[in-house]
Amino acid sequence: MTPTNRSKHRARKPFYMLFALVALSFLAGCANKGPQINIDESQNFAEIDTFFVRPPLNSLNPEIESQLTSAISRALIAKGLKPSPEEGADVLVGFLPSTASEENDTRLNLGLGTGVFGRSGGISLGSIFSVPIGERVTQYQNLQIDVVRGDTFIYSAVGSVEVESTDAVTIQNKLSELVVSLLEAFPAK
């Protein structure tokens, strides 16, 4: 390996480590049915006045994307924050939904997005429906919400909710409940 290639490899190492940590926390959140929440305690949350919810770039389901954006906005407004255009927002909020099925106590992930704040900036919204693969299949909707201030993740929450029905109203209500539970620990203004 040439010296130039070694320095490029070293420069990418922190990115890969961050990606691995986010992926592991997401999978840990999927394995545990309760929310997994991480807060950067070194941040001064009292200085945060405005937010912007970054919508997915490659939306597969605009209705679900819109519902999640609205639910996140309502939860943050209830905490005393104000919506703002992206350029002027104190924090950016991204979300990553996915689906999973559990058959006989074994969970299978079926639809993961590409990332919340990756280099491409894309948030991919997966389908919330899956094909049953056995007699006893439980379906889950997983959701990760990340709050970023500048280049720093200051809040991250991952959780899942069991989806007993595939009708749109039930799914919308379950997702709204999940958003509220994931943002419950977000420090109020």
Side-chain angles (χ1 to χ4, degrees):
M1 202 181 282
T2 68
T4 305
N5 286 342
R6 270 190 231 125
S7 65
K8 285 181 185 177
H9 179 68
R10 283 187 196 132
R12 290 183 189 161
K13 192 172 185 177
F15 172 75
Y16 291 128
M17 290 176 62
L18 178 64
F19 178 75
L21 287 173
V22 169
L24 284 173
S25 70
F26 183 74
L27 291 175
C30 293
N32 182 355
K33 291 185 174 59
Q36 299 292 314
I37 298 171
N38 293 305
I39 301 173
D40 182 353
E41 300 290 340
S42 69
Q43 295 293 316
N44 183 357
F45 286 90
E47 293 177 348
I48 299 172
D49 293 318
T50 59
F51 69 92
F52 177 78
V53 179
R54 182 177 282 174
L57 293 178
N58 301 320
S59 176
L60 297 177
N61 191 326
E63 292 82 21
I64 296 295
E65 170 195 321
S66 176
Q67 192 275 328
L68 284 170
T69 301
S70 295
I72 291 168
S73 294
R74 282 191 307 272
L76 294 175
I77 289 169
K79 292 193 172 279
L81 299 175
K82 294 176 231 136
S84 169
E86 184 173 6
E87 301 79 36
D90 295 328
V91 293
L92 298 178
V93 181
F95 56 92
L96 177 65
S98 66
T99 59
S101 290
E102 189 175 276
E103 179 183 14
N104 300 330
D105 300 325
T106 303
R107 195 171 270 203
L108 305 168
N109 285 328
L110 297 176
L112 287 175
T114 58
V116 177
F117 290 103
R119 281 203 175 263
S120 66
I123 303 171
S124 178
L125 185 64
S127 168
I128 62 169
F129 302 106
S130 62
V131 178
I133 53 177
E135 289 182 25
R136 234 183 70 194
V137 175
T138 305
Q139 295 184 15
Y140 293 91
Q141 177 63 45
N142 304 317
L143 181 62
Q144 176 176 344
I145 298 175
D146 290 323
V147 180
V148 176
R149 186 176 190 186
D151 291 333
T152 306
F153 284 85
I154 63 170
Y155 183 88
S156 183
V158 179
S160 65
V161 65
E162 185 177 336
V163 180
E164 295 116 9
S165 175
T166 58
D167 72 272
V169 173
T170 301
I171 292 168
Q172 183 175 8
N173 290 338
K174 289 286 192 176
L175 286 173
S176 292
E177 291 170 16
L178 182 57
V179 166
V180 168
S181 72
L182 293 178
L183 290 174
E184 185 175 350
F186 189 78
K189 180 149 175 51

